[in-house]
Amino acid sequence: MAGKLVCGVLPVAGLAFLNKAAAMHVALSKGHEMLMEVSTAVGSYVKQSFNMAMKAIAWTLFKHGRRVVKMFLDKSPSTLATAIVSMVTAGKGTIEKWGDEKGEEWSFGKQRREAREKLPESYDGNINTIWNQDSSEEFGDEFSENCKEAIVLVAQGLDEYMALQRIAENRQQQLVNAVIKNNG
């Protein structure tokens, strides 16, 4: 975007001081193309800035959300908190280390990698090694792809349903209007 502005728009503006007719010709003949390229670049910039802002917001919410969960699990005597603590590897000790600068990293991705690494490396003909690192990775990839496709299909189905509901409401409203218009 900056290149188009500096090397395209500014020279045409400068040319307008020297020769208005030449600047007008360049602007009319190449202006549309340059405007399209600059607007595309501006759109990309805005989209990227929006994505970066959303990532920053999500990261902040994640960090603060984890602190809230940690406080809930540390302080709450509820059975839910106790059940959650019992599911976490090493229990309260792990939860107390959450957020420590020198603490060990904990994430679902790390737990998944560690579980995968505990599996046998490949299938050796034995029934016990059918579920190995390769098959678990393939399963994870396929599951992820199919899950995304299913979510899209569900969203499309909901869109179709809502569209049909609106069509039905509009038909009903048209029928009521026709009855009112024809005096019953």
Side-chain angles (χ1 to χ4, degrees):
M1 178 179 74
K4 297 290 184 207
L5 289 174
V6 170
C7 300
V9 175
L10 289 180
V12 172
L15 183 60
F17 286 111
L18 301 173
N19 188 338
K20 290 182 183 178
M24 185 66 76
H25 174 76
V26 171
L28 290 176
S29 65
K30 301 297 178 192
H32 177 70
E33 182 180 333
M34 194 159 318
L35 180 63
M36 292 299 291
E37 290 180 14
V38 168
S39 65
T40 301
V42 168
S44 294
Y45 174 75
V46 168
K47 181 179 176 184
Q48 190 173 13
S49 298
F50 178 77
N51 286 340
M52 289 173 60
M54 289 297 109
K55 285 179 185 176
I57 290 169
W59 179 247
T60 302
L61 289 174
F62 172 73
K63 286 185 351 186
H64 292 300
R66 212 164 90 163
R67 286 186 190 130
V68 169
V69 170
K70 179 181 176 181
M71 286 178 5
F72 168 73
L73 295 177
D74 278 346
K75 308 277 190 255
S76 176
S78 72
T79 51
L80 174 65
T82 308
I84 292 172
V85 170
S86 67
M87 288 189 295
V88 174
T89 311
K92 267 205 179 299
T94 301
I95 292 171
E96 288 171 1
K97 292 179 185 175
W98 277 4
D100 289 349
E101 291 293 324
K102 296 175 186 168
E104 186 178 333
E105 170 198 351
W106 188 94
S107 67
F108 290 112
K110 181 180 177 190
Q111 296 300 317
R112 191 179 70 229
R113 279 191 306 276
E114 287 176 357
R116 184 177 165 270
E117 288 170 359
K118 289 178 184 175
L119 294 172
E121 286 191 27
S122 62
Y123 178 65
D124 61 3
N126 186 351
I127 192 76
N128 296 332
T129 60
I130 285 179
W131 187 255
N132 56 44
Q133 290 181 11
D134 293 336
S135 63
S136 70
E137 185 174 359
E138 174 115 8
F139 173 81
D141 292 344
E142 290 296 322
F143 177 84
S144 175
E145 271 184 46
N146 289 316
C147 186
K148 290 173 190 173
E149 289 174 10
I151 289 171
V152 168
L153 289 175
V154 169
Q156 287 174 344
L158 285 171
D159 284 345
E160 290 171 5
Y161 172 78
M162 291 189 311
L164 289 172
Q165 292 297 318
R166 287 188 186 128
I167 289 170
E169 288 173 9
N170 287 343
R171 284 185 182 161
Q172 188 175 11
Q173 186 61 43
Q174 288 173 351
L175 181 62
V176 168
N177 290 344
V179 169
I180 292 171
K181 189 175 189 179
N182 294 328
N183 293 327

